[in-house]
Amino acid sequence: MAETQTLVVPVEAAGWRLDQFLAGQLDGISRSRVRQLVDQGDVLVEGKREKASLKLRGGESVVVTGKQKLEPLEARAEEIPLEIVYEDDDLAVVNKPAGMMVHAGSGATDEARSGGTLVNALLHRFSALSTTGGELRPGIVHRLDKETSGLILVAKNDAAHEALAKMFAERKVTKTYVTLVHGTLPEDGATIQTPIGRDSVRRTRMTTRRLDGARHAVSHYRVAERLDTRFGPFTLARVRIETGRTHQIRVHMASIHHPVVGDTLYGAPAKIAALPLSTTRKAPREVMRLGRNFLHASELEFVHPISGKTLELKSPLPEDLTDFLARLRDPESNTPSD
């Protein structure tokens, strides 16, 4: 049910940020939820939308509308199509599309937080899943970012889950990704082993610049193709990760100044403009845009924890990424994708 609450900023709160003030005034509401309300337009200061970082003067009227507290997260079955790459009695490997969250999490509404996830689809598709990961993550042994497509392992029972989790911890599962990064990687292959930690300022980001709390991370890349295009240079690479840190490939590639194409969180441009044809003419320049990160989990190799059979599974690049590559390679294309 929608709620409306009007607050008057006291003089002693002068200099506080808007989100800081509201987090202290709204009972049981986190600062991150406050920011969601502000971003949605459910917070008005003197009748106007403002940023969460607004510095208050004292005396302002702040009106909060909308649903302040979200319902608890839940895992429920939903009929969502799944591409099953491999399946047996103990496990399955699914080709996750970009844009799908693995399990219930963030979102502005209850439906967005608990619906449309891989877990929702798995609960509808399979009669049984492991319970080791908890009620919200049945069957989930490892994760992929929402905007990363590709192969993900799913455990159907607790014995398989525990065995697979042990294999991941001991680095006995080989995970290979295909990515396109900005610029020309100088070496045909290299290893990045910079520790990764949570960014203390922007909490949605990870960073290699923070030592406190940073965790060991290892990524090996090998160049598949260097592209010299009318949009500038790019490098298509295969990346094998030994560790599974949050945003690992994205952070590591950005740390060497070659961000993943489409990854605006780590410095890639939202739009890629073609290089000017002339230094004197100001003709319109073609613009390309990729609505997600160019990152695809293309290969999984592991020994089946129950049968002992070696499984080597592959997933080709999805159509949106192959189309993007084709446009980069085609010097005659003039069709804008913006």
Side-chain angles (χ1 to χ4, degrees), residues 76-95:
R76 60 177 183 268
E78 283 186 56
E79 189 173 357
I80 302 172
L82 279 179
E83 181 185 347
I84 309 298
V85 177
Y86 175 87
E87 181 184 1
D88 60 31
D89 292 339
D90 300 295
L91 58 86
V93 176
V94 177
N95 195 20

Side-chain angles (χ1 to χ4, degrees), residues 179 181 185 190-197 206-209 214-221 239-260 263 266 295:
T179 187
V181 300
L185 289 172
T191 296
I192 307 170
Q193 23 188 354
T194 314
I196 293 174
M206 307 300 287
T207 181
T208 58
R209 297 179 181 178
R215 302 178 67 188
H216 179 62
V218 181
S219 304
H220 309 277
Y221 76 77
V239 185
R240 179 173 59 84
I241 59 173
E242 288 189 21
T243 50
R245 308 303 176 213
T246 301
H247 300 174
Q248 178 171 319
I249 294 174
R250 299 163 60 191
V251 177
H252 269 170
M253 299 314 290
S255 74
I256 60 171
H257 311 295
H258 293 280
V260 171
D263 191 4
Y266 291 105
L295 188 59

Side-chain angles (χ1 to χ4, degrees), residues 9 13-18 21-22 45 54-58 60 62:
V9 181
W16 287 25
R17 287 171 52 111
L18 176 60
F21 169 70
L22 289 177
V45 181
L54 173 72
K55 291 294 181 67
L56 299 170
R57 303 184 309 274
E60 298 98 327
V62 181

Side-chain angles (χ1 to χ4, degrees), residues 24-303:
Q25 294 294 310
L26 304 177
D27 185 35
I29 306 298
S30 68
R31 197 159 167 177
S32 61
R33 177 57 183 156
V34 166
R35 292 193 193 102
Q36 284 184 336
L37 291 170
V38 173
D39 291 342
Q40 291 165 204
D42 290 328
V43 175
L44 300 178
V45 181
E46 296 294 317
K48 297 191 303 182
R49 294 183 62 167
E50 299 284 0
K51 294 182 178 180
S53 58
L54 173 72
K55 291 294 181 67
L56 299 170
R57 303 184 309 274
E60 298 98 327
S61 172
V62 181
V63 178
V64 183
T65 60
K67 192 173 184 178
Q68 295 181 16
K69 292 184 179 180
L70 296 173
E71 296 297 322
L73 297 173
E74 62 175 335
R76 60 177 183 268
E78 283 186 56
E79 189 173 357
I80 302 172
L82 279 179
E83 181 185 347
I84 309 298
V85 177
Y86 175 87
E87 181 184 1
D88 60 31
D89 292 339
D90 300 295
L91 58 86
V93 176
V94 177
N95 195 20
K96 185 188 85 67
M100 174 184 275
M101 290 179 59
V102 171
H103 54 73
S106 61
T109 65
D110 296 330
E111 180 60 30
R113 295 165 73 240
S114 294
T117 72
L118 179 63
V119 162
N120 298 132
L122 294 174
L123 287 171
H124 182 271
R125 173 66 174 77
F126 299 117
S127 58
L129 292 167
S130 69
T131 61
T132 303
E135 292 183 2
L136 294 178
R137 304 177 185 183
I140 302 302
V141 183
H142 66 120
R143 292 179 289 179
L144 293 177
D145 295 342
K146 179 181 178 181
E147 298 304 334
T148 298
S149 55
L151 302 178
I152 186 167
L153 258 168
V154 176
K156 290 188 173 182
N157 54 63
D158 290 349
H161 191 128
E162 291 167 10
L164 287 169
K166 186 172 185 290
M167 290 166 62
F168 273 102
E170 295 176 349
R171 303 179 186 177
K172 292 181 178 178
V173 178
T174 302
K175 296 173 288 182
T176 304
Y177 295 71
V178 173
T179 187
L180 183 72
V181 300
H182 285 272
T184 302
L185 289 172
E187 300 176 81
D188 289 340
T191 296
I192 307 170
Q193 23 188 354
T194 314
I196 293 174
R198 179 75 59 181
D199 192 308
S200 59
V201 177
R202 297 178 61 185
R203 303 298 292 171
T204 57
R205 285 171 48 101
M206 307 300 287
T207 181
T208 58
R209 297 179 181 178
R210 183 182 178 189
L211 296 178
D212 181 32
R215 302 178 67 188
H216 179 62
V218 181
S219 304
H220 309 277
Y221 76 77
R222 180 156 292 281
V223 171
E225 181 183 0
R226 292 184 176 91
L227 294 85
D228 185 13
T229 80
R230 65 195 184 286
F231 294 92
F234 299 88
T235 304
L236 189 67
R238 290 164 49 84
V239 185
R240 179 173 59 84
I241 59 173
E242 288 189 21
T243 50
R245 308 303 176 213
T246 301
H247 300 174
Q248 178 171 319
I249 294 174
R250 299 163 60 191
V251 177
H252 269 170
M253 299 314 290
S255 74
I256 60 171
H257 311 295
H258 293 280
V260 171
V261 169
D263 191 4
T264 56
L265 184 62
Y266 291 105
K271 298 179 180 180
I272 306 171
L275 300 175
L277 297 175
S278 168
T279 57
T280 57
R281 292 176 54 198
K282 293 186 177 180
R285 292 161 62 185
E286 184 182 354
V287 173
M288 287 183 65
R289 179 188 178 104
L290 182 64
R292 55 98 152 197
N293 307 325
F294 198 118
L295 188 59
H296 179 70
S298 59
E299 297 177 34
L300 272 177
E301 183 178 346
F302 60 99
V303 174

